[in-house]
Amino acid sequence: MKQRRDRQQGMPPILERYELKFVIPEHMVDPISDFASVYCTLDKYSQITDGLFYRVNNLYFDTPNFLFLQRRLEGVENRFNMRIRSYGEEGNLPCFFEIKQKRVNIIKKFRAGVHDEDWPVMFEKSDYDISGKTRREEVGNKELFLRLAHSYNAGPRVLTQYKRKAYVSDVDDYGRVTFDMDLRYMPEERYNVRPDEARMIPNDDVMAFDPDPVGNIILELKCYSTQFPLWMIDLIRYFDLSRRSFSKYITGLRSVTELCRYDPGIRQSALGVFI
């Protein structure tokens, strides 16, 4: 049991990993879960949530001319995105500053937890003590997030929310299996990670996913870039899964008015390309 508890302690501040995405129909969630449960345990959030699916909220940042989006659509090999993540229906603290850098097929993730209710102030006050209420080993990641936000003049653009069931590997140093569903979003330019039910727009539309076979569940397999578990390979083969790309950020931006005004061509690309 000690190994299981240790693996539930959370993500390291800096992590290099593979992220393999698949789109599956809902009826495959249970059999894939059964397969994964031989090697994994439900993560700490699923364990305490009725129905096992908990809410994840992501506030995505971009530049005024959507430079980060353009880089994704163009398939730039070295690119990154920025988001602030919270968990639960209300998006309560802590929240997490995250930078995801992609180089070819490897994702490098920088993460810093934030416990200060007044965290939006750090984007406005240069003398704000960013080390307060943050783990010492994560301070550098928070500094990097703020530095990139100021350098690129990046700010909030869209808030996405979805339900997630997640498993943590019991047999590997690091491994996760996640199922995401019920994707929703709202345009957001404030430093806010709490969804507003009156403004949330459902985006769990089959047209945003693969039409054949029909599926609207995003399955992800995640592991260290230096160690790909054999059981994940077996899972892919057993269920005959076909890898594909899917961006919750791009999907959430499909109908954002500001993006349409900026460049209708970008909007058209966002409708049909998910990278």
Side-chain angles (χ1 to χ4, degrees), residues 167-200:
Y167 290 87
V168 179
S169 175
D170 293 328
V171 296
D172 306 286
D173 292 332
Y174 174 79
R176 286 177 63 83
V177 178
T178 60
F179 302 88
D180 296 339
M181 61 182 292
D182 192 21
L183 177 62
R184 307 191 300 165
Y185 78 96
M186 69 181 197
E188 182 58 277
E189 294 186 345
R190 300 171 300 158
Y191 296 104
N192 167 55
V193 291
R194 291 175 173 155
D196 180 349
E197 284 298 323
R199 298 172 58 212
M200 294 299 291

PDB file of all heavy atoms in Angstrom, residues 167-200:
ATOM      1  N   TYR A 167      -6.739   7.035 -13.680  1.00  0.00           N
ATOM      2  CA  TYR A 167      -6.052   5.949 -12.996  1.00  0.00           C
ATOM      3  C   TYR A 167      -4.560   6.270 -12.920  1.00  0.00           C
ATOM      4  O   TYR A 167      -3.995   6.875 -13.833  1.00  0.00           O
ATOM      5  CB  TYR A 167      -6.229   4.629 -13.747  1.00  0.00           C
ATOM      6  CG  TYR A 167      -7.635   4.062 -13.687  1.00  0.00           C
ATOM      7  CD1 TYR A 167      -8.607   4.448 -14.603  1.00  0.00           C
ATOM      8  CD2 TYR A 167      -7.973   3.126 -12.712  1.00  0.00           C
ATOM      9  CE1 TYR A 167      -9.885   3.923 -14.551  1.00  0.00           C
ATOM     10  CE2 TYR A 167      -9.250   2.581 -12.651  1.00  0.00           C
ATOM     11  CZ  TYR A 167     -10.206   2.988 -13.575  1.00  0.00           C
ATOM     12  OH  TYR A 167     -11.469   2.468 -13.511  1.00  0.00           O
ATOM     13  N   VAL A 168      -3.930   5.827 -11.821  1.00  0.00           N
ATOM     14  CA  VAL A 168      -2.494   5.980 -11.617  1.00  0.00           C
ATOM     15  C   VAL A 168      -1.870   4.595 -11.568  1.00  0.00           C
ATOM     16  O   VAL A 168      -2.366   3.705 -10.869  1.00  0.00           O
ATOM     17  CB  VAL A 168      -2.199   6.729 -10.301  1.00  0.00           C
ATOM     18  CG1 VAL A 168      -0.707   6.862 -10.068  1.00  0.00           C
ATOM     19  CG2 VAL A 168      -2.860   8.096 -10.305  1.00  0.00           C
ATOM     20  N   SER A 169      -0.776   4.403 -12.305  1.00  0.00           N
ATOM     21  CA  SER A 169      -0.136   3.093 -12.360  1.00  0.00           C
ATOM     22  C   SER A 169       0.424   2.678 -11.003  1.00  0.00           C
ATOM     23  O   SER A 169       1.043   3.478 -10.294  1.00  0.00           O
ATOM     24  CB  SER A 169       0.978   3.104 -13.405  1.00  0.00           C
ATOM     25  OG  SER A 169       1.678   1.872 -13.391  1.00  0.00           O
ATOM     26  N   ASP A 170       0.229   1.399 -10.649  1.00  0.00           N
ATOM     27  CA  ASP A 170       0.819   0.818  -9.449  1.00  0.00           C
ATOM     28  C   ASP A 170       2.137   0.119  -9.744  1.00  0.00           C
ATOM     29  O   ASP A 170       2.879  -0.225  -8.819  1.00  0.00           O
ATOM     30  CB  ASP A 170      -0.136  -0.226  -8.836  1.00  0.00           C
ATOM     31  CG  ASP A 170      -1.404   0.404  -8.297  1.00  0.00           C
ATOM     32  OD1 ASP A 170      -1.343   1.540  -7.831  1.00  0.00           O
ATOM     33  OD2 ASP A 170      -2.461  -0.266  -8.351  1.00  0.00           O
ATOM     34  N   VAL A 171       2.437  -0.099 -11.019  1.00  0.00           N
ATOM     35  CA  VAL A 171       3.574  -0.939 -11.374  1.00  0.00           C
ATOM     36  C   VAL A 171       4.687  -0.180 -12.097  1.00  0.00           C
ATOM     37  O   VAL A 171       5.715  -0.753 -12.437  1.00  0.00           O
ATOM     38  CB  VAL A 171       3.113  -2.136 -12.244  1.00  0.00           C
ATOM     39  CG1 VAL A 171       2.189  -3.036 -11.453  1.00  0.00           C
ATOM     40  CG2 VAL A 171       2.442  -1.653 -13.521  1.00  0.00           C
ATOM     41  N   ASP A 172       4.477   1.116 -12.343  1.00  0.00           N
ATOM     42  CA  ASP A 172       5.463   1.926 -13.047  1.00  0.00           C
ATOM     43  C   ASP A 172       5.833   3.131 -12.188  1.00  0.00           C
ATOM     44  O   ASP A 172       5.071   3.544 -11.308  1.00  0.00           O
ATOM     45  CB  ASP A 172       4.907   2.424 -14.386  1.00  0.00           C
ATOM     46  CG  ASP A 172       4.380   1.291 -15.241  1.00  0.00           C
ATOM     47  OD1 ASP A 172       5.204   0.548 -15.795  1.00  0.00           O
ATOM     48  OD2 ASP A 172       3.142   1.144 -15.341  1.00  0.00           O
ATOM     49  N   ASP A 173       6.996   3.721 -12.457  1.00  0.00           N
ATOM     50  CA  ASP A 173       7.378   4.936 -11.757  1.00  0.00           C
ATOM     51  C   ASP A 173       6.376   6.055 -12.021  1.00  0.00           C
ATOM     52  O   ASP A 173       6.095   6.883 -11.152  1.00  0.00           O
ATOM     53  CB  ASP A 173       8.773   5.383 -12.195  1.00  0.00           C
ATOM     54  CG  ASP A 173       9.852   4.421 -11.745  1.00  0.00           C
ATOM     55  OD1 ASP A 173       9.641   3.750 -10.716  1.00  0.00           O
ATOM     56  OD2 ASP A 173      10.890   4.341 -12.419  1.00  0.00           O
ATOM     57  N   TYR A 174       5.844   6.094 -13.253  1.00  0.00           N
ATOM     58  CA  TYR A 174       4.813   7.080 -13.585  1.00  0.00           C
ATOM     59  C   TYR A 174       3.979   6.549 -14.744  1.00  0.00           C
ATOM     60  O   TYR A 174       4.513   6.105 -15.763  1.00  0.00           O
ATOM     61  CB  TYR A 174       5.432   8.422 -13.978  1.00  0.00           C
ATOM     62  CG  TYR A 174       4.411   9.432 -14.469  1.00  0.00           C
ATOM     63  CD1 TYR A 174       3.628  10.147 -13.567  1.00  0.00           C
ATOM     64  CD2 TYR A 174       4.212   9.645 -15.832  1.00  0.00           C
ATOM     65  CE1 TYR A 174       2.688  11.056 -14.007  1.00  0.00           C
ATOM     66  CE2 TYR A 174       3.266  10.561 -16.282  1.00  0.00           C
ATOM     67  CZ  TYR A 174       2.505  11.263 -15.369  1.00  0.00           C
ATOM     68  OH  TYR A 174       1.561  12.154 -15.802  1.00  0.00           O
ATOM     69  N   GLY A 175       2.677   6.588 -14.580  1.00  0.00           N
ATOM     70  CA  GLY A 175       1.767   6.195 -15.646  1.00  0.00           C
ATOM     71  C   GLY A 175       0.356   6.599 -15.279  1.00  0.00           C
ATOM     72  O   GLY A 175      -0.050   6.473 -14.115  1.00  0.00           O
ATOM     73  N   ARG A 176      -0.373   7.133 -16.266  1.00  0.00           N
ATOM     74  CA  ARG A 176      -1.753   7.551 -16.016  1.00  0.00           C
ATOM     75  C   ARG A 176      -2.636   7.155 -17.200  1.00  0.00           C
ATOM     76  O   ARG A 176      -2.198   7.172 -18.364  1.00  0.00           O
ATOM     77  CB  ARG A 176      -1.846   9.069 -15.815  1.00  0.00           C
ATOM     78  CG  ARG A 176      -1.311   9.544 -14.478  1.00  0.00           C
ATOM     79  CD  ARG A 176      -1.349  11.047 -14.334  1.00  0.00           C
ATOM     80  NE  ARG A 176      -2.696  11.609 -14.382  1.00  0.00           N
ATOM     81  CZ  ARG A 176      -3.529  11.674 -13.345  1.00  0.00           C
ATOM     82  NH1 ARG A 176      -3.162  11.188 -12.177  1.00  0.00           N
ATOM     83  NH2 ARG A 176      -4.713  12.232 -13.464  1.00  0.00           N
ATOM     84  N   VAL A 177      -3.875   6.813 -16.870  1.00  0.00           N
ATOM     85  CA  VAL A 177      -4.912   6.559 -17.871  1.00  0.00           C
ATOM     86  C   VAL A 177      -6.075   7.473 -17.520  1.00  0.00           C
ATOM     87  O   VAL A 177      -6.572   7.442 -16.388  1.00  0.00           O
ATOM     88  CB  VAL A 177      -5.376   5.088 -17.848  1.00  0.00           C
ATOM     89  CG1 VAL A 177      -6.485   4.865 -18.877  1.00  0.00           C
ATOM     90  CG2 VAL A 177      -4.213   4.148 -18.111  1.00  0.00           C
ATOM     91  N   THR A 178      -6.490   8.321 -18.455  1.00  0.00           N
ATOM     92  CA  THR A 178      -7.576   9.259 -18.159  1.00  0.00           C
ATOM     93  C   THR A 178      -8.668   9.171 -19.221  1.00  0.00           C
ATOM     94  O   THR A 178      -8.387   8.949 -20.406  1.00  0.00           O
ATOM     95  CB  THR A 178      -7.071  10.709 -18.085  1.00  0.00           C
ATOM     96  OG1 THR A 178      -6.491  11.093 -19.338  1.00  0.00           O
ATOM     97  CG2 THR A 178      -6.023  10.865 -16.988  1.00  0.00           C
ATOM     98  N   PHE A 179      -9.905   9.350 -18.775  1.00  0.00           N
ATOM     99  CA  PHE A 179     -11.069   9.431 -19.645  1.00  0.00           C
ATOM    100  C   PHE A 179     -11.708  10.804 -19.440  1.00  0.00           C
ATOM    101  O   PHE A 179     -12.061  11.158 -18.311  1.00  0.00           O
ATOM    102  CB  PHE A 179     -12.102   8.361 -19.288  1.00  0.00           C
ATOM    103  CG  PHE A 179     -11.592   6.941 -19.360  1.00  0.00           C
ATOM    104  CD1 PHE A 179     -10.991   6.352 -18.251  1.00  0.00           C
ATOM    105  CD2 PHE A 179     -11.721   6.199 -20.519  1.00  0.00           C
ATOM    106  CE1 PHE A 179     -10.533   5.046 -18.303  1.00  0.00           C
ATOM    107  CE2 PHE A 179     -11.261   4.891 -20.585  1.00  0.00           C
ATOM    108  CZ  PHE A 179     -10.672   4.314 -19.481  1.00  0.00           C
ATOM    109  N   ASP A 180     -11.852  11.584 -20.503  1.00  0.00           N
ATOM    110  CA  ASP A 180     -12.447  12.919 -20.412  1.00  0.00           C
ATOM    111  C   ASP A 180     -13.726  12.975 -21.224  1.00  0.00           C
ATOM    112  O   ASP A 180     -13.786  12.471 -22.360  1.00  0.00           O
ATOM    113  CB  ASP A 180     -11.472  13.982 -20.941  1.00  0.00           C
ATOM    114  CG  ASP A 180     -10.214  14.091 -20.099  1.00  0.00           C
ATOM    115  OD1 ASP A 180     -10.253  13.661 -18.926  1.00  0.00           O
ATOM    116  OD2 ASP A 180      -9.196  14.581 -20.611  1.00  0.00           O
ATOM    117  N   MET A 181     -14.757  13.606 -20.648  1.00  0.00           N
ATOM    118  CA  MET A 181     -16.054  13.707 -21.312  1.00  0.00           C
ATOM    119  C   MET A 181     -16.755  14.993 -20.889  1.00  0.00           C
ATOM    120  O   MET A 181     -16.282  15.706 -20.011  1.00  0.00           O
ATOM    121  CB  MET A 181     -16.939  12.509 -20.959  1.00  0.00           C
ATOM    122  CG  MET A 181     -17.244  12.380 -19.471  1.00  0.00           C
ATOM    123  SD  MET A 181     -18.242  10.931 -19.046  1.00  0.00           S
ATOM    124  CE  MET A 181     -19.816  11.376 -19.804  1.00  0.00           C
ATOM    125  N   ASP A 182     -17.872  15.288 -21.535  1.00  0.00           N
ATOM    126  CA  ASP A 182     -18.706  16.441 -21.180  1.00  0.00           C
ATOM    127  C   ASP A 182     -17.912  17.737 -21.254  1.00  0.00           C
ATOM    128  O   ASP A 182     -17.907  18.534 -20.322  1.00  0.00           O
ATOM    129  CB  ASP A 182     -19.308  16.241 -19.788  1.00  0.00           C
ATOM    130  CG  ASP A 182     -20.407  17.259 -19.475  1.00  0.00           C
ATOM    131  OD1 ASP A 182     -20.969  17.835 -20.436  1.00  0.00           O
ATOM    132  OD2 ASP A 182     -20.697  17.485 -18.288  1.00  0.00           O
ATOM    133  N   LEU A 183     -17.261  17.963 -22.384  1.00  0.00           N
ATOM    134  CA  LEU A 183     -16.462  19.171 -22.581  1.00  0.00           C
ATOM    135  C   LEU A 183     -17.365  20.389 -22.726  1.00  0.00           C
ATOM    136  O   LEU A 183     -18.311  20.393 -23.501  1.00  0.00           O
ATOM    137  CB  LEU A 183     -15.587  19.013 -23.828  1.00  0.00           C
ATOM    138  CG  LEU A 183     -14.733  20.206 -24.249  1.00  0.00           C
ATOM    139  CD1 LEU A 183     -13.732  20.557 -23.158  1.00  0.00           C
ATOM    140  CD2 LEU A 183     -14.016  19.891 -25.564  1.00  0.00           C
ATOM    141  N   ARG A 184     -17.044  21.430 -21.947  1.00  0.00           N
ATOM    142  CA  ARG A 184     -17.769  22.703 -22.023  1.00  0.00           C
ATOM    143  C   ARG A 184     -16.758  23.837 -22.014  1.00  0.00           C
ATOM    144  O   ARG A 184     -15.612  23.644 -21.641  1.00  0.00           O
ATOM    145  CB  ARG A 184     -18.725  22.864 -20.830  1.00  0.00           C
ATOM    146  CG  ARG A 184     -19.674  21.692 -20.626  1.00  0.00           C
ATOM    147  CD  ARG A 184     -20.764  22.021 -19.614  1.00  0.00           C
ATOM    148  NE  ARG A 184     -20.232  22.350 -18.302  1.00  0.00           N
ATOM    149  CZ  ARG A 184     -20.923  22.938 -17.326  1.00  0.00           C
ATOM    150  NH1 ARG A 184     -22.189  23.279 -17.536  1.00  0.00           N
ATOM    151  NH2 ARG A 184     -20.385  23.198 -16.161  1.00  0.00           N
ATOM    152  N   TYR A 185     -17.192  25.021 -22.401  1.00  0.00           N
ATOM    153  CA  TYR A 185     -16.267  26.148 -22.388  1.00  0.00           C
ATOM    154  C   TYR A 185     -17.033  27.450 -22.271  1.00  0.00           C
ATOM    155  O   TYR A 185     -18.251  27.514 -22.460  1.00  0.00           O
ATOM    156  CB  TYR A 185     -15.407  26.161 -23.652  1.00  0.00           C
ATOM    157  CG  TYR A 185     -16.116  26.703 -24.875  1.00  0.00           C
ATOM    158  CD1 TYR A 185     -15.966  28.028 -25.250  1.00  0.00           C
ATOM    159  CD2 TYR A 185     -16.962  25.893 -25.625  1.00  0.00           C
ATOM    160  CE1 TYR A 185     -16.628  28.544 -26.345  1.00  0.00           C
ATOM    161  CE2 TYR A 185     -17.624  26.389 -26.726  1.00  0.00           C
ATOM    162  CZ  TYR A 185     -17.459  27.716 -27.088  1.00  0.00           C
ATOM    163  OH  TYR A 185     -18.140  28.227 -28.167  1.00  0.00           O
ATOM    164  N   MET A 186     -16.303  28.506 -21.965  1.00  0.00           N
ATOM    165  CA  MET A 186     -16.850  29.854 -22.035  1.00  0.00           C
ATOM    166  C   MET A 186     -15.710  30.814 -22.356  1.00  0.00           C
ATOM    167  O   MET A 186     -14.573  30.615 -21.889  1.00  0.00           O
ATOM    168  CB  MET A 186     -17.548  30.247 -20.726  1.00  0.00           C
ATOM    169  CG  MET A 186     -16.637  30.454 -19.534  1.00  0.00           C
ATOM    170  SD  MET A 186     -17.583  30.873 -18.035  1.00  0.00           S
ATOM    171  CE  MET A 186     -16.277  31.535 -16.982  1.00  0.00           C
ATOM    172  N   PRO A 187     -15.939  31.840 -23.163  1.00  0.00           N
ATOM    173  CA  PRO A 187     -14.920  32.878 -23.366  1.00  0.00           C
ATOM    174  C   PRO A 187     -14.607  33.533 -22.024  1.00  0.00           C
ATOM    175  O   PRO A 187     -15.515  33.770 -21.225  1.00  0.00           O
ATOM    176  CB  PRO A 187     -15.593  33.863 -24.332  1.00  0.00           C
ATOM    177  CG  PRO A 187     -16.696  33.090 -24.971  1.00  0.00           C
ATOM    178  CD  PRO A 187     -17.168  32.104 -23.943  1.00  0.00           C
ATOM    179  N   GLU A 188     -13.348  33.784 -21.752  1.00  0.00           N
ATOM    180  CA  GLU A 188     -12.974  34.361 -20.461  1.00  0.00           C
ATOM    181  C   GLU A 188     -11.695  35.180 -20.612  1.00  0.00           C
ATOM    182  O   GLU A 188     -10.658  34.661 -21.042  1.00  0.00           O
ATOM    183  CB  GLU A 188     -12.765  33.256 -19.424  1.00  0.00           C
ATOM    184  CG  GLU A 188     -12.423  33.765 -18.034  1.00  0.00           C
ATOM    185  CD  GLU A 188     -13.501  34.694 -17.487  1.00  0.00           C
ATOM    186  OE1 GLU A 188     -13.463  35.903 -17.830  1.00  0.00           O
ATOM    187  OE2 GLU A 188     -14.369  34.214 -16.738  1.00  0.00           O
ATOM    188  N   GLU A 189     -11.780  36.458 -20.282  1.00  0.00           N
ATOM    189  CA  GLU A 189     -10.611  37.331 -20.332  1.00  0.00           C
ATOM    190  C   GLU A 189     -10.185  37.794 -18.947  1.00  0.00           C
ATOM    191  O   GLU A 189      -9.235  38.555 -18.826  1.00  0.00           O
ATOM    192  CB  GLU A 189     -10.904  38.546 -21.225  1.00  0.00           C
ATOM    193  CG  GLU A 189     -11.113  38.178 -22.688  1.00  0.00           C
ATOM    194  CD  GLU A 189     -11.259  39.399 -23.564  1.00  0.00           C
ATOM    195  OE1 GLU A 189     -11.482  40.504 -23.011  1.00  0.00           O
ATOM    196  OE2 GLU A 189     -11.151  39.255 -24.794  1.00  0.00           O
ATOM    197  N   ARG A 190     -10.874  37.330 -17.926  1.00  0.00           N
ATOM    198  CA  ARG A 190     -10.483  37.647 -16.558  1.00  0.00           C
ATOM    199  C   ARG A 190      -9.603  36.535 -16.006  1.00  0.00           C
ATOM    200  O   ARG A 190      -9.591  35.420 -16.524  1.00  0.00           O
ATOM    201  CB  ARG A 190     -11.724  37.800 -15.673  1.00  0.00           C
ATOM    202  CG  ARG A 190     -12.687  38.897 -16.103  1.00  0.00           C
ATOM    203  CD  ARG A 190     -13.967  38.787 -15.284  1.00  0.00           C
ATOM    204  NE  ARG A 190     -14.612  37.495 -15.492  1.00  0.00           N
ATOM    205  CZ  ARG A 190     -15.466  36.931 -14.646  1.00  0.00           C
ATOM    206  NH1 ARG A 190     -15.767  37.544 -13.506  1.00  0.00           N
ATOM    207  NH2 ARG A 190     -16.016  35.753 -14.929  1.00  0.00           N
ATOM    208  N   TYR A 191      -8.889  36.841 -14.941  1.00  0.00           N
ATOM    209  CA  TYR A 191      -8.093  35.819 -14.256  1.00  0.00           C
ATOM    210  C   TYR A 191      -9.034  35.047 -13.333  1.00  0.00           C
ATOM    211  O   TYR A 191      -9.103  35.286 -12.124  1.00  0.00           O
ATOM    212  CB  TYR A 191      -6.947  36.464 -13.484  1.00  0.00           C
ATOM    213  CG  TYR A 191      -5.948  37.158 -14.379  1.00  0.00           C
ATOM    214  CD1 TYR A 191      -5.925  38.545 -14.485  1.00  0.00           C
ATOM    215  CD2 TYR A 191      -5.052  36.428 -15.152  1.00  0.00           C
ATOM    216  CE1 TYR A 191      -5.020  39.185 -15.323  1.00  0.00           C
ATOM    217  CE2 TYR A 191      -4.144  37.055 -15.991  1.00  0.00           C
ATOM    218  CZ  TYR A 191      -4.132  38.437 -16.072  1.00  0.00           C
ATOM    219  OH  TYR A 191      -3.236  39.065 -16.912  1.00  0.00           O
ATOM    220  N   ASN A 192      -9.754  34.121 -13.916  1.00  0.00           N
ATOM    221  CA  ASN A 192     -10.829  33.425 -13.225  1.00  0.00           C
ATOM    222  C   ASN A 192     -10.820  31.955 -13.618  1.00  0.00           C
ATOM    223  O   ASN A 192     -10.799  31.624 -14.803  1.00  0.00           O
ATOM    224  CB  ASN A 192     -12.181  34.052 -13.602  1.00  0.00           C
ATOM    225  CG  ASN A 192     -13.343  33.176 -13.174  1.00  0.00           C
ATOM    226  OD1 ASN A 192     -13.472  32.820 -12.015  1.00  0.00           O
ATOM    227  ND2 ASN A 192     -14.183  32.796 -14.141  1.00  0.00           N
ATOM    228  N   VAL A 193     -10.821  31.063 -12.635  1.00  0.00           N
ATOM    229  CA  VAL A 193     -10.839  29.627 -12.917  1.00  0.00           C
ATOM    230  C   VAL A 193     -12.142  28.978 -12.458  1.00  0.00           C
ATOM    231  O   VAL A 193     -12.230  27.758 -12.374  1.00  0.00           O
ATOM    232  CB  VAL A 193      -9.649  28.920 -12.240  1.00  0.00           C
ATOM    233  CG1 VAL A 193      -8.343  29.333 -12.900  1.00  0.00           C
ATOM    234  CG2 VAL A 193      -9.608  29.201 -10.739  1.00  0.00           C
ATOM    235  N   ARG A 194     -13.152  29.810 -12.195  1.00  0.00           N
ATOM    236  CA  ARG A 194     -14.428  29.290 -11.708  1.00  0.00           C
ATOM    237  C   ARG A 194     -15.498  29.423 -12.785  1.00  0.00           C
ATOM    238  O   ARG A 194     -15.829  30.536 -13.204  1.00  0.00           O
ATOM    239  CB  ARG A 194     -14.853  30.030 -10.441  1.00  0.00           C
ATOM    240  CG  ARG A 194     -13.944  29.692  -9.266  1.00  0.00           C
ATOM    241  CD  ARG A 194     -14.246  30.484  -8.035  1.00  0.00           C
ATOM    242  NE  ARG A 194     -13.460  30.005  -6.902  1.00  0.00           N
ATOM    243  CZ  ARG A 194     -13.141  30.735  -5.853  1.00  0.00           C
ATOM    244  NH1 ARG A 194     -13.539  31.979  -5.772  1.00  0.00           N
ATOM    245  NH2 ARG A 194     -12.422  30.214  -4.874  1.00  0.00           N
ATOM    246  N   PRO A 195     -16.037  28.307 -13.258  1.00  0.00           N
ATOM    247  CA  PRO A 195     -17.035  28.355 -14.329  1.00  0.00           C
ATOM    248  C   PRO A 195     -18.300  29.081 -13.896  1.00  0.00           C
ATOM    249  O   PRO A 195     -18.715  29.010 -12.739  1.00  0.00           O
ATOM    250  CB  PRO A 195     -17.332  26.867 -14.600  1.00  0.00           C
ATOM    251  CG  PRO A 195     -16.142  26.136 -14.047  1.00  0.00           C
ATOM    252  CD  PRO A 195     -15.677  26.933 -12.871  1.00  0.00           C
ATOM    253  N   ASP A 196     -18.893  29.794 -14.835  1.00  0.00           N
ATOM    254  CA  ASP A 196     -20.169  30.458 -14.642  1.00  0.00           C
ATOM    255  C   ASP A 196     -21.214  29.661 -15.412  1.00  0.00           C
ATOM    256  O   ASP A 196     -21.208  29.633 -16.646  1.00  0.00           O
ATOM    257  CB  ASP A 196     -20.082  31.891 -15.177  1.00  0.00           C
ATOM    258  CG  ASP A 196     -21.380  32.668 -15.010  1.00  0.00           C
ATOM    259  OD1 ASP A 196     -22.413  32.048 -14.672  1.00  0.00           O
ATOM    260  OD2 ASP A 196     -21.365  33.891 -15.241  1.00  0.00           O
ATOM    261  N   GLU A 197     -22.106  28.983 -14.702  1.00  0.00           N
ATOM    262  CA  GLU A 197     -23.073  28.096 -15.347  1.00  0.00           C
ATOM    263  C   GLU A 197     -23.900  28.818 -16.403  1.00  0.00           C
ATOM    264  O   GLU A 197     -24.285  28.230 -17.415  1.00  0.00           O
ATOM    265  CB  GLU A 197     -24.006  27.474 -14.300  1.00  0.00           C
ATOM    266  CG  GLU A 197     -23.369  26.361 -13.502  1.00  0.00           C
ATOM    267  CD  GLU A 197     -22.960  25.174 -14.374  1.00  0.00           C
ATOM    268  OE1 GLU A 197     -23.697  24.855 -15.328  1.00  0.00           O
ATOM    269  OE2 GLU A 197     -21.899  24.586 -14.105  1.00  0.00           O
ATOM    270  N   ALA A 198     -24.166  30.093 -16.193  1.00  0.00           N
ATOM    271  CA  ALA A 198     -24.984  30.845 -17.144  1.00  0.00           C
ATOM    272  C   ALA A 198     -24.250  31.085 -18.466  1.00  0.00           C
ATOM    273  O   ALA A 198     -24.879  31.366 -19.480  1.00  0.00           O
ATOM    274  CB  ALA A 198     -25.410  32.181 -16.537  1.00  0.00           C
ATOM    275  N   ARG A 199     -22.920  30.967 -18.456  1.00  0.00           N
ATOM    276  CA  ARG A 199     -22.123  31.257 -19.651  1.00  0.00           C
ATOM    277  C   ARG A 199     -21.490  30.024 -20.283  1.00  0.00           C
ATOM    278  O   ARG A 199     -20.952  30.103 -21.387  1.00  0.00           O
ATOM    279  CB  ARG A 199     -21.019  32.259 -19.303  1.00  0.00           C
ATOM    280  CG  ARG A 199     -21.525  33.610 -18.818  1.00  0.00           C
ATOM    281  CD  ARG A 199     -20.366  34.462 -18.308  1.00  0.00           C
ATOM    282  NE  ARG A 199     -19.364  34.664 -19.361  1.00  0.00           N
ATOM    283  CZ  ARG A 199     -18.061  34.789 -19.127  1.00  0.00           C
ATOM    284  NH1 ARG A 199     -17.605  34.719 -17.883  1.00  0.00           N
ATOM    285  NH2 ARG A 199     -17.215  34.982 -20.117  1.00  0.00           N
ATOM    286  N   MET A 200     -21.538  28.894 -19.600  1.00  0.00           N
ATOM    287  CA  MET A 200     -20.891  27.695 -20.120  1.00  0.00           C
ATOM    288  C   MET A 200     -21.635  27.146 -21.334  1.00  0.00           C
ATOM    289  O   MET A 200     -22.866  27.052 -21.334  1.00  0.00           O
ATOM    290  CB  MET A 200     -20.807  26.619 -19.039  1.00  0.00           C
ATOM    291  CG  MET A 200     -19.898  26.980 -17.873  1.00  0.00           C
ATOM    292  SD  MET A 200     -18.168  27.258 -18.335  1.00  0.00           S
ATOM    293  CE  MET A 200     -17.650  25.602 -18.787  1.00  0.00           C
TER     294      MET A 200
END
